[in-house]
């Protein structure tokens, strides 16, 4: 397959959900406001897919229902669903989600990013890569890879 060929040439495009209305309380920095699944979803929904000029939300790769937030334990778990079972971009998509959350959330949070069970041929291997801090750090030192990640994330902002 050439670099210009897409693995999933005709992805299903889903409608974006309405933007969340920000309340005056949320704008008040003196009010302690816990994170919720919707806030995390809003941080990652507009990340651009590396293969298509579409967001992860539009491709249904990320969904609010697949996010768990535990403020007491300072943990955030995100599951994502590649568009096809043999998606070669799955690790890159997971890295984009992880980097976006690491860059935007307070450092107290432990972030876990995994492929939804049964949705990818090599989900176990990819989940292991995404959970390995040293492998993620090494990947982020790769100039080409971080450029691609930044492009996917920057297009979302």
């Amino acid at each position: 397959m050439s670099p210009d060929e897409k693995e999933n040439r005709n992805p299903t495009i889903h409608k974006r959900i309405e933007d969340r209305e920000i309340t005056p309380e949320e704008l008040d920095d003196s009010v302690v406001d816990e994170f919720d699944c919707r806030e995390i979803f809003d941080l990652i929904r507009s990340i651009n897919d590396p293969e298509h000029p579409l967001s992860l939300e539009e491709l249904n790769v990320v969904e609010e229902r697949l996010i768990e937030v535990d403020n007491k334990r300072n943990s955030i778990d995100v599951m994502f669903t590649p568009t096809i079972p043999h998606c070669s971009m799955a690790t890159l998509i997971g890295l984009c989600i992880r980097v976006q959350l690491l860059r935007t959330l307070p450092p107290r949070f432990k972030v876990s990013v995994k492929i939804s069970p049964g949705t990818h041929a090599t989900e176990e291997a990819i989940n292991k890569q995404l959970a390995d801090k040293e492998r993620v750090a090494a990947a982020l030192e790769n100039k080409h890879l971080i450029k691609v990640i930044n492009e996917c994330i920057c297009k979302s902002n």
Side-chain angles (χ1 to χ4, degrees):
M1 180 166 46
S2 78
D4 293 333
E5 287 184 53
K6 292 179 172 41
E7 285 182 304
N8 186 0
R9 292 181 191 173
N10 193 19
T12 303
I13 301 172
H14 300 264
K15 186 177 179 188
R16 291 179 50 94
I17 62 173
E18 296 287 324
D19 286 338
R20 183 175 59 93
E21 188 175 321
I22 310 260
T23 64
E25 294 82 25
E26 291 176 297
L27 297 173
D28 184 354
D29 288 339
S30 67
V31 175
V32 176
D33 180 29
E34 292 193 335
F35 285 89
D36 61 23
C37 297
R38 179 57 194 259
E39 284 178 284
I40 304 306
F41 177 71
D42 285 343
L43 291 173
I44 62 174
R45 68 191 277 199
S46 297
I47 294 172
N48 208 57
D49 181 81
E51 190 174 41
H52 297 282
L54 299 165
S55 71
L56 296 183
E57 178 188 17
E58 291 170 310
L59 293 171
N60 216 33
V61 171
V62 295
E63 299 176 70
E64 184 179 351
R65 69 179 183 84
L66 296 176
I67 298 169
E68 291 182 18
V69 177
D70 187 336
N71 284 284
K72 288 182 179 37
R73 290 197 166 108
N74 297 319
S75 70
I76 295 174
D77 299 319
V78 176
M79 288 209 212
F80 69 99
T81 307
T83 58
I84 56 174
H86 296 284
C87 178
S88 65
M89 300 289 170
T91 305
L92 178 58
I93 291 168
L95 280 171
C96 289
I97 294 168
R98 188 171 177 81
V99 167
Q100 174 71 346
L101 293 176
L102 292 173
R103 286 179 180 173
T104 56
L105 292 172
R108 68 182 170 95
F109 281 105
K110 180 181 186 301
V111 175
S112 165
V113 178
K114 295 180 180 177
I115 294 179
S116 301
T119 63
H120 195 277
T122 61
E123 77 182 65
E124 201 173 298
I126 293 172
N127 287 343
K128 189 175 180 179
Q129 288 177 337
L130 292 172
D132 186 327
K133 289 180 184 180
E134 290 173 7
R135 288 178 84 168
V136 169
L140 299 180
E141 289 177 10
N142 179 311
K143 289 179 183 178
H144 172 71
L145 190 55
I146 198 66
K147 181 179 182 231
V148 173
I149 291 169
N150 286 336
E151 286 173 0
C152 291
I153 291 173
C154 289
K155 287 181 183 176
S156 72
N157 295 330

